[in-house]
Every structure is written in C-alpha cells, then in structure tokens.
Amino acid sequence: MEPKPAAAFRDDTLYSWPMKGVAAYGAAITAAMAFGYAALYVPRSATFRSQVVGIIPARYASSRFQGKPLVPILGKPMIQRTWERAKLATTLSQLVVATDDERIADCCRGFGADVIMTSQSCRNGTERCNEALTNLKKKFDVVVNIQGDEPLIEPDIIDGVVKVLQATPDAVFSTAVTSLKAEDACDPNRVKCVVDNYGYAIYFSRGFIPFNKSGKVNPEFPYLLHLGIQSYDAKFLKIYPELPPTPLQLEEDLEQLKVLENGYKIKVIKVDHDAHGVDTPEDVEKMESLMRERNM
C-alpha cells in the first residue's frame, strides 16, 4: 500500500511547506556556533539569485556501473536523454555537462551540449559542480546539480528547486522528495528523507527512516524518497569543498549530510514524481520498458 500524503504536504502548489521566518535562522546560527561549527555563510535575498546554471556532473569510472553516462537508452546515450529533459526547464540561464573523461565530453559535444572539463580529484558531484562553476566565464547566483542518471527528470522539478531556493533566503541548498514506494523501503540505493513542519530537511539516510518500534512499515505514514536533484546558492557552493568531511556524511556516503552537520539549512519540496534513476546495469532494461510504455 502506497503511503498517504501528510497534511503538511499541500499538493495545490509545487511547494509543500511554508517558508520559515528569518528570525529563526538567527537562532540556528547561534546554536551552530555554540557547537563549534564552521562560520555560517548567510545568503543574500532572493533578488540576487536570478542567474541560474544547470550542471550535469558525469564521470566514467563507477564502482557499480562503469561508463554509465554513455549507456544507450533506446538508442541515445543516457546523458543525452537527461540533457534534453533539463533543457526544457525555464529557470536555467545555461546548461552544461561537467566531466573528467574525454569519451563523455566528445559524446556530449556531439549532440550540442556545452562541456566543462574537470579534474579527477573531485570526490562527488557537488565538488565537480563547484569546479565547473569556477571555470565558467559568466557569474551565476544559483547552481543546479542535475543527476545524469535521471533520464526522465521533470523540467518542472528543476524549476521547483530553483524557485524555492530563490524564495528562501535562510537556506543555502534545496532539493526534492517524493512518496516512497514500499519496495524501495530497504534499498540502500534509494535515499530517504525526513523534514520538519516548515519543509527543511532534518536528515537523509540510506536506511529506512523514520523507523518505528514495531519494526514494520506503517502504511499510513508519508515516507519520503529523496530525488537526486539539488540546487545551491553559488557562494555557499564555493566554500563547500573547504568544509571538512563529517561523521554522518562518511557513514552514509551522502554529501548533503555535510551541509546539515555544519549547521546549514536545506529547503525541501515534495513533488509527485515516479522516480526512475539508473543505478545498476539491471535498471537499464526497466528504464527502456517504462519509456516504451510512455511512448517516449
């Protein structure tokens, strides 16, 4: 049985939670400093977040699926399908692919994408986005990290995470969630999320959260699945690589936890999206079957 939406998730708009007051952010800063966090960067108002770049980080080497960006999905490389969907977003001033591999770069240039070459030392997609940002000639206020293994990404979701970050000056990061399916509950490749009443992230985990004392899935609880897309205030992104790795980030292998552990705020929107990322070779056939069903 699929979880029912919680009352806090208002589906009449893309944004599911109201904005929390800036006054509360002052308390968060005080608390973070008391716990010895790094100095917090307080972002500017939403009017300064008008220039937006979408970056699709892509690497060839992968422990689970080597060469994944180039795998054909119904005759087109997966990264091309992701790029074509992302191009439909209306909030992006520019869209680029960031990669450290010439095979991926040549493929992307072949279908017309702008490519930024990055180093192999990038530890994750966020760091690759940051390096790409520094190599762009134009100045941007918001950076959207678009996962290259989401060939069915909805342009409206890209626009949603951008708009909510523009409207939330006390957050430096935004992302999206959707309802978690029962079959994904214990899959460590499907990251779960819990949020507060104002739509700010509390925690992300590869484990099943929240976990009740009965040890069973509660069919009435609105469990949330994290979607890979995320956007950052550009000034925050520049200092992200300087923040030291954190215990929860390392244990879960989730880069967004470093943001939370250092006292920064992540704004979350809930969307209606049937998530279908490609994490393993077995997912390719599932993706192609789904696209045939949708006449894509």
Side-chain angles (χ1 to χ4, degrees):
M1 181 176 180
E2 190 167 333
K4 295 180 180 178
F9 300 154
R10 301 199 312 271
D11 291 329
D12 54 328
T13 66
L14 186 62
Y15 314 118
S16 302
W17 297 279
M19 192 175 117
K20 192 173 184 180
V22 178
Y25 190 47
I29 294 174
T30 303
M33 293 178 67
F35 281 98
Y37 291 129
L40 296 181
Y41 159 67
V42 180
R44 296 176 295 180
S45 64
T47 57
F48 293 95
R49 289 176 170 172
S50 59
Q51 295 300 311
V52 183
V53 61
I55 300 178
I56 305 175
R59 64 190 184 101
Y60 192 90
S62 171
S63 58
R64 289 184 298 175
F65 195 173
Q66 188 167 353
K68 182 168 65 170
L70 301 182
V71 66
I73 303 288
L74 293 183
K76 289 184 180 181
M78 180 166 58
I79 195 166
Q80 180 177 354
R81 291 201 173 274
T82 302
W83 180 82
E84 289 174 348
R85 297 290 291 173
K87 284 286 287 184
L88 299 175
T90 61
T91 55
L92 301 182
S93 308
Q94 186 176 354
L95 177 66
V96 303
V97 175
T99 185
D100 60 2
D101 192 279
E102 286 293 345
R103 290 166 289 189
I104 295 175
D106 289 343
C107 172
C108 293
R109 293 186 186 107
F111 59 75
D114 292 331
V115 177
I116 299 292
M117 296 304 297
T118 56
S119 65
Q120 295 183 351
S121 62
C122 296
R123 293 170 291 185
N124 52 51
T126 303
E127 292 191 6
R128 196 172 303 282
C129 285
N130 175 60
E131 185 174 325
L133 178 65
T134 61
N135 291 329
L136 289 170
K137 295 179 180 179
K138 186 176 178 180
K139 180 181 178 182
F140 292 95
D141 306 309
V142 174
V143 178
V144 188
N145 180 343
I146 303 168
Q147 301 297 306
D149 56 7
E150 289 275 355
L152 296 182
I153 183 66
E154 295 289 345
D156 284 348
I157 297 178
I158 297 174
D159 291 336
V161 297
V162 171
K163 290 176 181 178
V164 79
L165 188 62
Q166 291 172 332
T168 314
D170 63 341
V172 297
F173 189 118
S174 65
T175 190
V177 295
T178 192
S179 296
L180 177 70
K181 294 181 178 180
E183 60 265 29
D184 292 332
C186 297
D187 185 347
N189 293 318
R190 299 291 188 254
V191 176
K192 295 78 179 177
C193 177
V194 289
V195 300
D196 66 17
N197 289 337
Y198 300 95
Y200 293 90
I202 298 173
Y203 193 66
F204 299 86
S205 180
R206 296 185 182 277
F208 182 44
I209 57 170
F211 192 78
N212 62 55
K213 63 182 179 181
S214 74
K216 299 178 182 179
V217 175
N218 176 4
E220 300 299 318
F221 191 88
Y223 299 102
L224 299 176
L225 172 69
H226 180 230
L227 303 178
I229 187 168
Q230 46 207 30
S231 69
Y232 328 91
D233 182 281
K235 285 194 171 183
F236 168 74
L237 182 59
K238 290 179 180 179
I239 68 171
Y240 174 87
E242 301 172 7
L243 298 174
T246 52
L248 295 174
Q249 174 207 0
L250 295 174
E251 181 65 20
E252 296 261 16
D253 191 21
L254 295 174
E255 57 197 84
Q256 60 268 36
L257 290 178
K258 185 167 80 165
V259 180
L260 294 178
E261 287 183 89
N262 278 284
Y264 297 96
K265 302 185 79 170
I266 297 177
K267 187 70 171 178
V268 181
I269 60 169
K270 184 174 186 288
V271 298
D272 183 13
H273 179 64
D274 194 5
H276 291 279
V278 177
D279 297 307
T280 66
E282 292 73 27
D283 291 332
V284 174
E285 185 176 346
K286 297 177 184 177
M287 177 63 67
E288 290 184 330
S289 296
L290 180 65
M291 293 179 70
R292 290 190 186 97
E293 291 175 7
R294 298 182 178 182
N295 294 319
M296 298 178 69

